[in-house]
Amino acid sequence: VHVPLIDKRPGQIISMTDSNIQVMDMETFETFDSPPPSHDQEVNNKLAEGDEVEYWKVLGKTKIMRIR
């Protein structure tokens, strides 16, 4: 049985567009693009530039999970 490793990390939103959110990792200061969270519209509507978020890295993909 394969069990995916979930890496939960803190990040900060640098910029936002309709299709992408640029996030900076708070530990390594690496920047990357992530799609807007589609699982929770309430979180998606509250996101703004400068917000600190928790994102998950799973199977090579990143997903913003919540606002910190």
Side-chain angles (χ1 to χ4, degrees), residues 1-6 58-59:
V1 176
H2 293 281
V3 178
L5 297 175
I6 299 173
V58 182
L59 300 174

Side-chain angles (χ1 to χ4, degrees), residues 24-62:
M24 178 183 67
D25 186 289
M26 297 294 283
E27 295 173 357
T28 64
F29 304 109
E30 167 190 2
T31 60
F32 59 90
D33 290 334
S34 177
S38 59
H39 65 281
D40 192 349
Q41 287 295 57
E42 185 175 322
V43 170
N44 196 16
N45 293 337
K46 291 182 181 178
L47 289 176
E49 291 179 7
D51 284 350
E52 289 189 18
V53 296
E54 179 180 290
Y55 71 93
W56 292 7
K57 287 177 124 178
V58 182
L59 300 174
K61 296 182 182 180
T62 59

